């Protein structure tokens, strides 16, 4: 499986994932985690994420490889720093031969990301 992982500070909305190259992908699943306008019941204008970058990238790649044996390609971009409400904090793009495999990888990856990857929400701006 082809895996691409990056932590970034620029807007994910300004990035582009190339479409499948006709290499056996029958399903594309895209997930965007967007900063909501409230945190712990309080209105906010932004969230700040911190990361142990080298380890976070390594762990994200490991998780995708472990969980995605039946998929074709996985792309994951996670922002860190200040992210305004409405902006994308994480984008995950999965290509699988079938939809079940693609959805399974996305679900497993997102569930394990919060536990295994050193990326933290550290502050919310009012």
């Amino acid at each position: 499986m082809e895996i691409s992982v990056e932590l970034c500070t620029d807007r994910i909305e300004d990035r582009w994932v190339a479409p499948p190259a006709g290499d056996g992908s029958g399903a594309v699943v895209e997930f965007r985690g967007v900063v909501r306008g409230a945190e712990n019941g309080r209105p906010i204008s932004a969230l700040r994420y911190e990361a142990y970058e080298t380890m976070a990238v390594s762990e994200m790649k490991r998780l995708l490889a472990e969980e995605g044996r039946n998929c074709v390609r996985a792309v994951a971009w996670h922002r860190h720093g200040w992210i305004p409400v409405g902006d994308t904090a994480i984008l995950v793009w999965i290509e699988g031969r079938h939809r079940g495999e693609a959805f399974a990888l996305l679900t497993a990856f997102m569930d394990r990301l919060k536990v295994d990857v050193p990326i933290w929400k550290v502050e919310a701006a009012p």
Side-chain angles (χ1 to χ4, degrees):
M1 176 171 66
E2 178 186 336
I3 297 172
S4 175
V5 171
E6 185 181 340
L7 294 183
C8 58
T9 56
D10 58 316
R11 286 175 39 93
I12 291 173
E13 292 82 354
D14 297 336
R15 292 168 165 242
W16 178 74
V17 179
D23 56 2
S25 297
V28 174
V29 176
E30 179 182 332
F31 171 78
R32 290 173 181 266
V34 177
V35 176
R36 324 180 257 280
E39 183 74 8
N40 299 320
R42 298 184 343 256
I44 63 167
S45 62
L47 283 176
R48 184 168 63 93
Y49 285 86
E50 288 183 356
Y52 177 23
E53 291 187 51
T54 305
M55 186 176 180
V57 168
S58 176
E59 282 298 294
M60 290 168 74
K61 286 179 179 178
R62 183 184 67 78
L63 293 176
L64 289 166
E66 277 182 14
E67 300 288 345
R69 292 185 262 324
N70 297 318
C71 289
V72 176
R73 179 168 68 145
V75 175
W77 295 325
H78 200 304
R79 280 181 70 180
H80 60 99
W82 284 104
I83 306 169
V85 166
D87 274 15
T88 300
I90 184 169
L91 176 133
V92 182
W93 169 286
I94 306 293
E95 292 176 31
R97 288 173 187 80
H98 306 282
R99 65 185 154 98
E101 298 161 350
F103 278 113
L105 174 53
L106 175 63
T107 299
F109 176 73
M110 290 305 299
D111 287 348
R112 292 185 66 190
L113 176 82
K114 301 229 178 227
V115 175
D116 296 346
V117 178
I119 299 174
W120 309 274
K121 280 193 272 188
V122 293
E123 189 175 0

